[in-house]
Amino acid sequence: MAERKYRPGEVEGKWRQVWEDRGLFRAPDVPGPEHCYVLEMFPYPSGRLHMGHVRNYAIGDAVARFRRMRGATVLHPMGWDAFGLPAEQAAIERGLDPAEWTFGNIAQMRSQLRLLGLSYDWTREVTTCVPEYYRWEQLVFVRMQQAGLAYRRKSLVNWSEALQTVLANEQVIDGRDYKLGEPVVQRDLEQWFFRTTAYAERLLAGLDALEGKWPERVLLEQRARIGKSVGAEIAFPLEKPVAGEKAIVVFTTRPDTLFGVTFMSLAAEHPLAIEFARGTEREREVRAFVERVRGEDKRRRVAEDHVKEGVFTGARCVNPATGEHVPIFIADFVLMDYGTGAVMAVPAHDQRDFELARKYDLPIRVVIRPPDGTLDPATMEAAYAGEGVQVASGEFDGLHNTEGMRRIAEWLRTRGRGGPAVSYRLRDWCVSRQRYWGCPIPMIHCPGCGIVPVPESDLPVVLPRDVAFQAHGGSPLARHPAFPNVACPRCREPARRDLDTLDTFVESSWYFLRYLDPAWDGGIARPDRVLGWMAVDLYIGGIEHAVGHLMYARFYHMMLKDLGFLPPGTPDEPFERLLTQGMVTKETHYTLDDAGNPVWHYPEDVEDGRSRIDGRPVQVGRVEKMSKSRRNVVGLEAFVERYGADTARLFALFAAPPEKDLEWRDDGVEGCWRFLARVWRIVHEAAAAPAGGGEPVPFDELAPEWQAVTRMVHRTIRRVTHDIDARLHFNTALAAIMELTNAIAAAPPPSASEPPGAGAARREASDALLRLLSPFAPHLCDELWETLGGAGTTLEAGWPRFDPAIAAAETVTIAVQVGGKLRGQVELPAGSGEEETVAAARAEPNVARHLEGRRVVRTVFVPGRLVNFVVK
RNA sequence: GCCGGAGUGGCGGAACCGGCAGACGCGCCGGACUCAAAAUCCGGUGGGCUUUCACGCCCGUGAGGGUUCGAGUCCCUCCUCCGGCACCA
């Protein structure tokens, strides 16, 4: 009988069709009692799926299929984060229509995704750039504005000249934008903000509940981003009121050092900065300083070797504790957007204040005495920021400074001069973008009424399609003949629409809710579905979203609940468990050009160590993240053509644990391919076996070699179940499956004279193997399932069960140590007691040899594991 | 600077609670099949010593120290790499 060879191309398409025809992946609207929402971060439709996507979706799909086989109703959807800059770039550079470009890419990527056989419920597909989606975002925006959670404010924002738009703080990395890496400058512009700061405490508290369920690293980064500081606010009355202000308010984490304040520092951006000097002889100097600092590059300002500078404003304020009058400076290190933009300066106990005091010869007053002695202001070389005892602090002298903090803050409160306060590093989220391809902000600017929301009955504000693009012409919406002009909904006079669009991170802050009810025209999603499915049980995506998307989505979800868009009882946190997968990398190849710069090569352009392009010798470069520019990308279609989707999925899961980086290696891929081909052969052999010992017999009556195989089957089921379910470690699950495969292959070959039950045991082993492997390589497994005569698909067949009695070892290998060193092993029946185990251990020849002439002072017995004879 | 994480064969990685280090895969070596190759199958593979073989012994998880009958795992010091934050008052 001619054995069929494993050709994925011949089976994969067939099974995808079967799955689709049977609707196997369709999720019910309201879930069953056992349910699971598995979600992978949806992609931007760039047009090409890369191996990073493959890995992400292979992980999610393995879990989704596994949970389905275990009997859960599973929601596993996919969609498109379809607004964004590349579409607009294509329009500007190549004259394409952003919508057409986007939808074309979506079609292309959808077919690539289908090629992988991922178990998505495609009836729930969501695309963010259609009005049916973003209309709800506009409604939410209007309600947010009415609730004061969305507001417009003029402030310093990050402006990218290259991208021609403002950016959120999370989108600026080291002073450069997150897309192109071009410089970002600070500009004073009026923009829309979401009041994320109102949720700082809740966002922080929520992280505690995610402990153990989210990667520690993400929790740490979010905590750092929120940056909670506990301290006090203190009002310093001005000698002379300025611009209507009678006091300067500072935030400090060190109220205990209040008696050591010898001057005051304001940010250059502080509204009163220039006011103090206005009309005095200092005005010119102060103005010059303020303007210089404001214009300075932010990165230079924080550079290592930057020398702190300041300027005296000429004004003074009063220390509420000492009554002392201290000078007010403007200092270049004070940030306007943290605290109040004003800092009380305590040179003895803060390094920055110390440096400024030394430079401008300002007094230094010690008010905290360190445990190991005293400080001399005249000779100290650095500020002392540690703990100690209050000195020169009036009635607080002698207190430990941690107590001093509390008491002084309280003392201020009772006198109406401030009191305990908390400050956060988190800023409000700047959401307006001066770009076309995004969700229009549903607001109207009326000369008479000011900012007026678009009436809810007029929503959605549809993004016009008939626009013209220019490279540097600002938003095309402004040039649209009709779009900007609108009658004010309040006074009916001519008014102008807001021409900005929303940050695309707003769309991705709630798409997981829309999957629950993608076509509903009554809101985001019906309450029973939200209550049924939320929260997402497992969310999988890249670590790069640790503080951006993952923080925005948490905020937005909490806020939607507060505004009544989600029913009471919805969990506060949208993502119950988070898996951040590592990057997919590959080695690079390059030649050096005349200037010594690397010229990156595709592997297929390398022949016998030389480049086919420039003929130069090719060198192997570093292993780097797959990218077009490095030419180390593995193309999906060609790969699937050659190896099939199952091999791609298998490799993505086997080569590394999911949270680590994964190096794509051709020989590793070959290994996965060989494994699948081996499974194919083994199962075909089992299927073609003559019916010798075909009928099943009880385990106890099986021949020993088949008992061993059967025991292996049950243990493997236990191991794989645990590895997927509890640990999400697919690499070890697959290693266990490979071991089972090896055991099956090593079992006696089929013959007509097999012992009773052998054929059935062989079949049982193949049956289990296919079911265990099917979340990882579903096409192959379903084909072989059919070969074995199974009904339907592995998914419908369900996850195999193990019998703990069979999985339990009949014998165990006990390690025997003498003095902590391994000296032998003994085989004993499982569950043997201490007495018999120790006796057997002593009897082991090599052990006996090592015990000879020595006195055993103690015997350590670990049941089922080891015996250690402690000798003298 | 501060806060994390990680260092295990030639390589990716395993060892879940302190109990046989190196599972599984790659690579490599040897063999079978073949006219030959590919494919496949079988065996070996941390280093060293000993030995005809089998066995046996020593060393070994970045370095050094400690706790323990026993440490890749816990503690201390240090080195290296990676990540985050970085004038946050």
Side-chain angles (χ1 to χ4, degrees):
Chain A
M1 174 178 169
E3 193 182 286
R4 276 177 69 207
K5 282 193 79 175
Y6 174 43
R7 290 202 181 83
E10 291 171 9
V11 301
E12 293 193 343
K14 164 185 154 189
W15 288 102
R16 284 196 288 272
Q17 196 59 52
V18 170
W19 301 335
E20 193 164 323
D21 291 347
R22 292 183 176 226
L24 291 182
F25 309 139
R26 207 154 299 155
D29 286 329
V30 179
E34 190 65 32
H35 58 90
C36 184
Y37 185 176
V38 182
L39 183 66
E40 297 110 56
M41 291 183 186
F42 67 166
Y44 177 79
S46 62
R48 293 209 62 81
L49 215 61
H50 52 70
M51 288 304 173
H53 291 123
V54 172
R55 188 180 193 198
N56 191 178
Y57 309 148
I59 293 168
D61 204 49
V63 174
R65 285 177 180 269
F66 169 77
R67 294 301 304 263
R68 280 195 195 94
M69 288 178 79
R70 295 252 280 170
T73 52
V74 170
L75 175 59
H76 189 218
M78 183 40 74
W80 311 99
D81 190 12
F83 273 137
L85 217 49
E88 210 168 330
Q89 223 66 33
I92 294 167
E93 287 163 17
R94 287 177 280 158
L96 303 171
D97 174 35
E100 277 175 30
W101 183 86
T102 302
F103 288 119
N105 285 348
I106 288 174
Q108 204 173 316
M109 283 177 85
R110 194 190 291 119
S111 70
Q112 287 187 312
L113 274 179
R114 283 180 190 269
L115 216 49
L116 288 167
L118 301 161
S119 65
Y120 294 127
D121 180 352
W122 282 106
T123 65
R124 294 172 179 272
E125 184 177 352
V126 158
T127 304
T128 61
C129 67
V130 299
E132 294 73 30
Y133 183 84
Y134 64 70
R135 60 180 294 193
W136 305 115
E137 195 165 304
Q138 293 179 335
L139 178 65
V140 170
F141 190 98
V142 167
R143 301 268 176 90
M144 284 178 80
Q145 195 256 352
Q146 285 156 355
L149 289 168
Y151 65 94
R152 205 166 156 80
R153 166 184 92 182
K154 191 174 186 189
S155 79
L156 282 178
V157 290
N158 310 297
W159 171 262
S160 164
E161 195 58 36
L163 298 173
Q164 288 283 303
T165 184
V166 301
L167 295 170
N169 291 323
E170 289 73 19
Q171 294 162 345
V172 181
I173 301 145
D174 289 337
R176 293 169 179 273
D177 74 78
Y178 75 118
K179 286 233 157 178
L180 305 172
E182 296 293 328
V184 167
V185 297
Q186 302 293 302
R187 273 210 195 167
D188 210 17
L189 296 170
E190 197 170 289
Q191 299 292 328
W192 284 102
F193 287 85
F194 283 171
R195 208 176 290 280
T196 43
T197 50
Y199 283 75
E201 196 54 48
R202 207 154 134 201
L203 287 167
L204 193 63
L207 294 175
D208 293 339
L210 298 172
E211 203 75 55
K213 301 179 194 166
W214 278 34
E216 194 56 33
R217 179 176 159 195
V218 177
L219 298 178
L220 279 163
E221 282 183 38
Q222 293 213 355
R223 286 198 183 100
R225 172 65 52 146
I226 295 166
K228 180 179 182 176
S229 295
V230 178
E233 270 193 352
I234 305 174
F236 285 70
L238 292 169
E239 262 182 358
K240 293 195 265 309
V242 167
E245 295 293 333
K246 294 197 185 84
I248 293 180
V249 177
V250 303
F251 172 79
T252 179
T253 55
R254 295 294 303 271
D256 54 316
T257 62
L258 179 57
F259 287 80
V261 171
T262 57
F263 62 102
M264 180 71 62
S265 300
L266 302 190
E269 292 83 4
H270 197 284
L272 295 179
I274 294 177
E275 297 306 320
F276 287 121
R278 193 182 291 281
T280 73
E281 79 274 13
R282 309 199 67 86
E283 180 170 357
R284 180 190 291 262
E285 192 191 345
V286 170
R287 244 179 220 288
F289 181 81
V290 164
E291 270 157 30
R292 181 166 61 84
V293 172
R294 284 185 187 182
E296 245 172 24
D297 184 69
K298 200 177 173 183
R299 276 184 308 157
R300 274 241 313 288
R301 257 170 89 171
V302 301
E304 195 84 12
D305 53 354
H306 184 85
V307 179
K308 292 170 188 30
E309 281 186 90
V311 67
F312 179 44
T313 58
R316 287 170 201 279
C317 59
V318 182
N319 184 334
T322 61
E324 216 172 349
H325 291 226
V326 297
I328 300 170
F329 273 66
I330 295 162
D332 60 354
F333 62 85
V334 180
L335 306 171
M336 188 55 219
D337 51 7
Y338 181 77
T340 61
V343 182
M344 66 180 211
V346 187
H349 305 294
D350 181 283
Q351 188 57 26
R352 296 154 299 186
D353 299 340
F354 180 82
E355 286 170 33
L356 216 63
R358 277 279 191 268
K359 181 165 173 143
Y360 298 106
D361 209 15
L362 296 158
I364 296 172
R365 185 175 308 146
V366 173
V367 291
I368 305 294
R369 190 175 62 219
D372 58 356
T374 54
L375 293 170
D376 180 2
T379 58
M380 57 198 286
E381 281 167 13
Y384 174 74
E387 296 190 354
V389 174
Q390 303 275 159
V391 293
S393 298
E395 61 187 277
F396 304 100
D397 276 358
L399 289 175
H400 190 263
N401 75 309
T402 47
E403 178 65 15
M405 282 184 199
R406 256 196 308 278
R407 298 270 285 269
I408 291 175
E410 199 46 39
W411 181 85
L412 287 163
R413 197 179 61 77
T414 56
R415 275 157 189 76
R417 288 290 163 81
V422 171
S423 187
Y424 298 92
R425 187 177 301 193
L426 187 72
R427 311 287 148 78
D428 281 339
W429 176 13
C430 176
V431 292
S432 40
R433 296 290 178 274
Q434 291 68 53
R435 306 298 317 191
Y436 161 72
W437 190 236
C439 171
I441 293 177
M443 288 287 152
I444 290 165
H445 300 267
C446 171
C449 311
I451 293 169
V452 182
V454 173
E456 291 181 9
S457 55
D458 289 355
L459 294 177
V461 177
V462 176
L463 185 70
R465 296 273 301 266
D466 50 336
V467 290
F469 291 92
Q470 290 171 18
H472 283 282
S475 172
L477 290 178
R479 294 189 304 272
H480 191 275
F483 182 78
N485 306 312
V486 65
C488 169
R490 204 163 287 162
C491 69
R492 297 283 142 209
E493 292 297 311
R496 241 176 120 72
R497 284 191 191 281
D498 198 294
L499 297 175
D500 287 351
T501 53
L502 285 171
D503 183 357
T504 57
F505 277 100
V506 182
E507 282 91 67
S508 56
S509 290
W510 64 282
Y511 73 107
F512 47 90
L513 292 163
R514 191 58 176 169
Y515 283 136
L516 307 181
D517 210 353
W520 192 40
D521 62 2
I524 287 175
R526 274 165 279 207
D528 59 334
R529 301 180 188 194
V530 175
L531 290 173
W533 284 111
M534 286 302 283
V536 174
D537 292 274
L538 179 64
Y539 195 31
I540 309 154
I543 187 71
E544 66 273 19
H545 294 109
V547 285
H549 163 61
L550 286 168
M551 187 93 98
Y552 296 142
R554 293 180 61 222
F555 155 76
Y556 204 80
H557 187 256
M558 291 174 187
M559 185 271 307
L560 286 178
K561 190 177 156 188
D562 291 353
L563 291 185
F565 285 98
L566 302 176
T570 308
D572 236 30
E573 291 293 338
F575 312 120
E576 175 76 14
R577 195 167 173 191
L578 174 71
L579 175 64
T580 49
Q581 104 259 9
M583 294 185 301
V584 178
T585 62
K586 193 167 193 309
E587 71 180 8
T588 50
H589 299 270
Y590 64 95
T591 59
L592 292 174
D593 67 11
D594 293 333
N597 296 315
V599 180
W600 306 99
H601 278 59
Y602 294 111
E604 53 268 30
D605 289 331
V606 180
E607 201 173 23
D608 297 330
R610 296 199 92 80
S611 163
R612 288 198 215 192
I613 294 161
D614 55 22
R616 295 170 190 251
V618 175
Q619 309 190 34
V620 176
R622 286 215 320 250
V623 174
E624 292 189 60
K625 181 175 181 173
M626 281 190 188
S627 72
K628 256 193 231 165
S629 65
R630 287 289 188 269
R631 307 209 154 174
N632 62 346
V633 174
V634 175
L636 182 74
E637 278 99 340
F639 186 94
V640 170
E641 173 87 12
R642 179 158 170 205
Y643 292 104
D646 285 338
T647 295
R649 298 171 53 138
L650 197 71
F651 180 75
L653 294 172
F654 177 64
E659 63 278 1
K660 290 186 79 165
D661 286 352
L662 174 115
E663 187 189 345
W664 198 271
R665 289 177 60 113
D666 296 338
D667 49 15
V669 167
E670 286 286 342
C672 288
W673 161 261
R674 274 203 292 269
F675 167 69
L676 292 181
R678 194 166 141 87
V679 171
W680 176 274
R681 267 196 319 277
I682 286 167
V683 173
H684 271 270
E685 270 170 36
E695 290 303 308
V697 301
F699 180 78
D700 292 337
E701 293 165 29
L702 271 177
E705 66 270 29
W706 287 105
Q707 284 194 345
V709 170
T710 303
R711 187 172 291 120
M712 178 83 174
V713 167
H714 286 257
R715 284 188 193 164
T716 305
I717 295 168
R718 185 172 59 188
R719 254 176 92 184
V720 172
T721 306
H722 181 248
D723 279 354
I724 301 177
D725 204 28
R727 306 207 308 154
L728 298 172
H729 274 198
F730 312 103
N731 55 331
T732 52
L734 282 163
I737 294 171
M738 287 175 181
E739 283 182 73
L740 175 62
T741 307
N742 293 342
I744 296 172
S751 78
S753 58
E754 297 197 274
R762 187 182 293 110
R763 260 160 211 274
E764 194 207 343
S766 298
D767 176 293
L769 172 63
L770 293 179
R771 296 200 216 190
L772 292 174
L773 185 58
S774 95
F776 309 104
H779 308 87
L780 172 95
C781 290
D782 276 355
E783 175 68 19
L784 294 177
W785 184 254
E786 190 181 66
T787 304
L788 273 185
T793 61
T794 49
L795 194 90
E796 292 155 304
W799 193 248
R801 293 172 188 283
F802 67 90
D803 180 341
I806 296 177
E810 58 150 14
T811 63
V812 288
T813 310
I814 306 282
V816 185
Q817 299 179 332
V818 178
K821 284 192 187 294
L822 184 70
R823 295 303 178 194
Q825 297 173 349
V826 289
E827 277 295 296
L828 286 174
S832 297
E834 177 160 5
E835 208 170 306
E836 58 218 277
T837 306
V838 170
R842 275 182 182 282
E844 207 278 335
N846 195 46
V847 173
R849 206 159 58 77
H850 280 274
L851 286 177
E852 218 170 304
R854 306 213 177 187
R855 197 160 58 85
V856 176
V857 293
R858 192 176 148 197
T859 304
V860 180
F861 171 67
V862 183
R865 287 197 183 271
L866 104 170
V867 173
N868 185 12
F869 295 108
V870 184
V871 292
K872 224 179 161 155

